[in-house]
């Protein structure tokens, strides 16, 4: 095991997403689902991203600044320019903030697994970034095995 698996509470915690396109939208949706307080910053935010996140996240149409990173508990970089991704990953490390750079495993302090979400039952599948297609296939297999209401059963059990 190269990486330590961990479930992190993001409820009301500040998460920064750098980027304005589809990858940034996917990361923002992921952490919004965990209750994070999301700020998305990019010089240009795609219309689809803007529409999907309106009222859900702070959308800041400008380049990121160090203060954005210093205010975050986690940073996701969904920036196409490799030099910019490296720059902001280094800034996050200097600030002591964990960073994930989409499709740039060498810049990541953590990875996001494939997730099966059934409410109180969550299954995370990781290949440490080595085989994302395999992780997605395993997720599909597990989704097919788990009853859709298994989370409700776990919530019921938790009450007793």
């Amino acid at each position: 095991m190269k990486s330590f698996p961990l479930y992190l509470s993001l409820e009301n915690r500040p998460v920064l997403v750098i980027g304005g396109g589809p990858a940034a939208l996917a990361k923002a949706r992921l952490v919004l689902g965990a209750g994070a307080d999301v700020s998305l910053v990019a010089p240009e935010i795609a219309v689809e991203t803007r529409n999907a996140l309106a009222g859900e996240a702070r959308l800041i149409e400008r380049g990121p600044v160090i203060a954005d990173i210093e205010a975050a508990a986690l940073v996701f970089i969904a920036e196409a320019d490799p030099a910019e991704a490296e720059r902001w990953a280094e800034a996050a490390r200097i600030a002591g903030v964990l960073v994930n750079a989409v499709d740039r495993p060498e810049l990541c302090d953590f990875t996001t697994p494939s997730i099966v979400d059934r409410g109180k039952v969550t299954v995370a599948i990781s290949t440490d970034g080595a085989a994302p297609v395999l992780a997605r296939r395993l997720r599909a297999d597990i989704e097919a095995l788990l009853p859709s209401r298994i989370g409700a059963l776990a919530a019921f059990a938790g009450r007793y």
Side-chain angles (χ1 to χ4, degrees), residues 2-148:
K2 180 182 170 194
S3 297
F4 182 74
L6 153 82
Y7 286 84
L8 178 66
S9 175
L10 292 179
E11 189 71 30
N12 298 317
R13 296 191 69 196
V15 173
L16 176 66
V17 178
I18 298 174
L25 174 57
K27 295 301 182 183
R29 282 180 168 156
L30 184 67
V31 294
L32 280 167
D37 177 16
V38 177
S39 295
L40 184 140
V41 62
E44 188 175 326
I45 300 173
V47 173
E48 179 184 336
T49 301
R50 181 179 304 287
N51 291 342
L53 297 178
E56 300 292 319
R58 259 181 303 307
L59 304 175
I60 306 164
E61 201 153 7
R62 62 160 166 74
V65 296
I66 298 297
D68 296 330
I69 289 172
E70 292 173 341
L74 291 178
V75 172
F76 288 90
I77 301 171
E79 171 63 58
D81 181 331
E84 284 296 296
E86 288 179 33
R87 175 181 173 207
W88 295 115
E90 181 62 23
R93 282 199 187 82
I94 289 169
V97 179
L98 295 175
V99 64
N100 172 281
V102 175
D103 296 331
R104 303 288 307 274
E106 73 280 5
L107 298 179
C108 294
D109 294 322
F110 67 95
T111 58
T112 52
S114 287
I115 298 170
V116 177
D117 183 358
R118 295 285 195 271
K120 294 288 183 188
V121 175
T122 305
V123 180
I125 303 105
S126 174
T127 61
D128 260 338
V133 174
L134 174 61
R136 284 193 296 273
R137 173 58 197 251
L138 290 170
R139 180 188 69 208
D141 290 348
I142 293 168
E143 283 179 327
L145 288 172
L146 286 179
S148 61

